[in-house]
Amino acid sequence: ELIGLAETGLRDCLPQLDIGDAFQILRKPALLPPLGSNSTDTEASADAQAARQDLLDILSEDAALMSDSPETGFAPWSLRYSGHQFGTWAGQLGDARVISVLVTPHPSDPDLTYELQLKGAGRTPFSRSADGLAVLRSSIREFLGAEAINALQIPTTRSLSLISLPSLPVAREREESACILTWVAPSFMRIGSFEAFNGPSNMFFFGGGQQDPDWEGLRVLGEWVAKRVLRLEAANQGRAWGKELVMEVARRNAEMVAGCQVYGFMHGVMNTDNISVLGLTIDYGPYAFMDVFDPYHICNHTDQEGRYAYKYQPNMIIYACRHLLNTLSPLIGAESVLGNKPVGPGWMQGVSDETIAEWGEKGKESREEMEVLIQTTCSVEYGRLMKKCLALRRQEKSDENHLVQPLLDIMAEHKLDFHATFRKLSFFKPSLLTSSPADPNPNQNVLEKFISDLLDLSPEGRSMDHTKATNDWMAWFRSTLGGFLAPSKW
């Protein structure tokens, strides 16, 4: 049963897809049906019904797109990758419940392709003991979460469809019904995709299946990602691409996580197999948006140590990119020895273990440069987006220390709702600060009323020290905004 189709995802990624009468069947989104409306829509044409049924068959795994052409042959596939999970090497992982069914070019840019993946479509070669299914509840959360993040202009995978399988039971904490989510992205390659070809050596881990290093596979994957996914100028001009690939992945993910911090989004499971090479927010599991502001908030109940708490998300991008650098370091070192030329087929043939180790150490020399890039990019993007959130006309280097952090401190101390506070601040007017606190101020009562409304947003209102909270807000408005900032800033 088709229960969801993302109009924006369809428009942006697959405008050429014929969905037939799907939207007519789903009807327009509404909280309630129109009053007095008992009439049914005009029946769609046979062609429109057939197109919708084809869509339903393919995206529910009732049918498969396949080709046996020698040049373009394909069938549904799942991706193999490895990864570090919660700071521990987990070995080989892979798409345990995700099946890719198609890669298709965008009609406005033939070099831009979109891959369609079915999540919850059943077992794959990487399912191990799992059932490969997804439940309706979590699928709806993921469908909505991805499109909400896109609306906030944070890079993300996109949602396409939701197909409910009401007669297929799924055993979780309780019995639920199954659902298949179709999501779309230019690529689903992850940092873990590279780790599958060159994981950490001499490490014991539970699970198993990790293969020995495949140097040729690492080169082929890297060239594909550098040329076709990231479109790196160096790779497409025949220059060394290894270091540039790492830096580009680092830059993209730094910008992505800055957006997450500004809008209070917490991913919950930022393992290396969940970090996209395109810097997309990917795999919406136990995600959450911040409610009462707490920089140490943990949205994943399995994250007992708080590794992926809101405050530490930028650190986790650094951690993940370190492992990407480690994986590619022998290749980067080899390119350096070759005089900034790319490695070619068979680049590891006859190379001794000692030379591989030397190349690896040479490649890791870029670590500090990469970390500085992530920190700088994240800081600049965070400042740019916070400027928008606070409706500032211009940005100062000292904004984060003198404006943003004191604001977040007030929100944390007095347990204020993160999003509701920013929403209320959008009604603030600099005219409230025109008089000195020592002067009779006709706006004083108005400002106090504004602060009172801010405090009413806290669910902890009964236990709050209202006097201190009011004084803290008054100091922030008067000192930070009234003193540090000129009215022309707004």
Side-chain angles (χ1 to χ4, degrees):
E1 297 178 5
L2 181 67
I3 62 171
L5 196 62
E7 188 173 5
T8 50
L10 186 68
R11 177 199 66 200
D12 297 341
C13 306
L14 301 164
Q16 74 275 34
L17 180 61
D18 185 358
I19 62 169
D21 64 343
F23 280 123
Q24 185 175 335
I25 296 297
L26 290 170
R27 308 181 67 88
K28 290 188 177 296
L31 295 177
L32 293 172
L35 292 176
S37 176
N38 295 318
S39 61
T40 58
D41 294 332
T42 304
E43 186 172 331
S45 68
D47 287 345
Q49 293 181 46
R52 185 242 310 160
Q53 189 60 50
D54 284 345
L55 179 79
L56 192 62
D57 289 343
I58 296 297
L59 300 187
S60 67
E61 272 284 278
D62 252 10
L65 294 174
M66 301 176 68
S67 168
D68 58 2
S69 165
E71 294 82 17
T72 60
F74 73 94
W77 70 96
S78 291
L79 189 64
R80 167 181 166 249
Y81 45 82
S82 300
H84 285 78
Q85 297 190 324
F86 294 92
T88 301
W89 175 240
Q92 181 172 298
L93 302 166
D95 288 331
R97 56 174 177 170
V98 171
I99 299 173
S100 295
V101 296
L102 181 68
V103 174
T104 182
H106 193 281
S108 67
D109 182 1
D111 291 330
L112 174 62
T113 59
Y114 279 95
E115 181 175 344
L116 280 70
Q117 287 193 339
L118 312 185
K119 185 169 185 178
R123 289 176 56 81
T124 78
F126 310 105
S127 296
R128 292 179 282 190
S129 61
D131 59 19
L133 301 175
V135 300
L136 179 63
R137 165 184 48 82
S138 62
S139 300
I140 291 173
R141 287 187 79 249
E142 187 153 0
F143 180 89
L144 296 174
E147 292 307 289
I149 286 293
N150 178 71
L152 292 171
Q153 299 181 359
I154 299 173
T156 178
T157 54
R158 302 298 300 276
S159 299
L160 178 62
S161 68
L162 277 175
I163 296 177
S164 171
L165 308 172
S167 62
L168 179 59
V170 181
R172 294 296 185 259
E173 288 83 1
R174 56 185 175 84
E175 187 174 289
E176 302 184 56
S177 61
C179 185
I180 296 177
L181 163 72
T182 302
W183 56 357
V184 184
S187 173
F188 288 93
M189 290 292 176
R190 307 133 187 270
I191 287 179
S193 302
F194 286 89
E195 289 185 289
F197 289 100
N198 181 26
S201 59
N202 302 320
M203 291 191 67
F204 174 80
F205 58 93
F206 292 100
Q210 180 64 29
Q211 301 173 23
D212 293 333
D214 181 347
W215 301 115
E216 190 60 17
L218 184 67
R219 179 192 67 82
V220 172
L221 173 64
E223 284 189 355
W224 173 265
V225 170
K227 291 179 179 179
R228 297 294 300 273
V229 179
L230 297 175
R231 305 189 193 186
L232 299 181
E233 185 177 298
N236 287 298
Q237 293 182 354
R239 303 197 309 271
W241 49 262
K243 177 181 175 181
E244 189 171 336
L245 184 152
V246 173
M247 295 300 176
E248 180 66 8
V249 172
R251 183 191 65 79
R252 287 170 177 258
N253 277 285
E255 289 186 347
M256 177 273 292
V257 80
C260 294
Q261 298 303 100
V262 168
Y263 292 109
F265 175 79
M266 295 161 285
H267 183 277
V269 201
M270 296 177 70
N271 298 325
T272 59
D273 54 291
N274 284 335
I275 304 297
S276 159
V277 299
L278 280 172
L280 306 176
T281 307
I282 191 171
D283 202 356
Y284 290 76
Y287 78 87
F289 285 92
M290 185 71 73
D291 291 320
V292 171
F293 181 66
D294 174 9
Y296 298 97
H297 182 73
I298 304 166
C299 70
N300 181 356
H301 72 277
T302 64
D303 184 11
Q304 298 179 354
E305 296 180 356
R307 178 180 181 83
Y308 300 130
Y310 166 82
K311 181 181 178 68
Y312 300 126
Q313 290 188 130
N315 295 344
M316 293 302 99
I317 292 300
I318 294 176
Y319 176 86
C321 289
R322 283 176 187 164
H323 286 292
L324 177 61
L325 179 62
N326 291 343
T327 297
L328 282 168
S329 60
L331 186 147
I332 296 171
E335 288 182 332
S336 177
V337 171
L338 289 171
N340 200 36
K341 294 181 180 178
V343 297
W347 66 289
M348 276 292 191
Q349 288 181 2
V351 179
S352 67
D353 291 343
E354 291 76 11
T355 300
I356 294 174
E358 290 175 5
W359 288 350
E361 291 304 313
K362 183 71 174 175
K364 292 175 185 176
E365 292 177 359
S366 303
R367 175 171 167 171
E368 183 176 352
E369 180 184 351
M370 179 200 72
E371 293 181 6
V372 170
L373 172 66
I374 294 173
Q375 292 166 346
T376 302
T377 303
C378 186
S379 176
V380 170
E381 182 68 2
Y382 183 85
R384 184 186 74 84
L385 293 175
M386 270 297 180
K387 170 178 171 286
K388 290 177 62 178
C389 282
L390 293 172
L392 305 179
R393 289 182 178 174
R394 66 177 188 271
Q395 186 176 348
E396 308 284 356
K397 291 182 178 179
S398 54
D399 281 353
E400 184 170 350
N401 290 332
H402 292 276
L403 177 62
V404 176
Q405 193 56 52
L407 170 62
L408 297 178
D409 290 342
I410 291 174
M411 292 166 60
E413 180 177 355
H414 301 294
K415 297 181 173 58
L416 300 179
D417 184 278
F418 184 77
H419 296 281
T421 298
F422 277 107
R423 182 68 185 130
K424 180 62 180 176
L425 286 175
S426 69
F427 295 98
F428 170 79
K429 296 180 180 179
S431 60
L432 297 177
L433 304 174
T434 53
S435 298
S436 160
D439 296 335
N441 185 2
N443 288 325
Q444 182 75 21
N445 292 335
V446 178
L447 182 58
E448 288 183 354
K449 177 62 169 62
F450 186 87
I451 292 173
S452 177
D453 291 343
L454 273 170
L455 300 183
D456 287 343
L457 299 174
S458 171
E460 307 291 332
R462 292 185 178 181
S463 59
M464 181 190 298
D465 184 341
H466 280 260
T467 300
K468 185 177 188 308
T470 300
N471 290 338
D472 288 347
W473 271 115
M474 194 70 75
W476 187 76
F477 279 121
R478 292 235 177 259
S479 176
T480 306
L481 300 185
F484 174 68
L485 301 179
S488 60
K489 171 111 173 168
W490 297 79

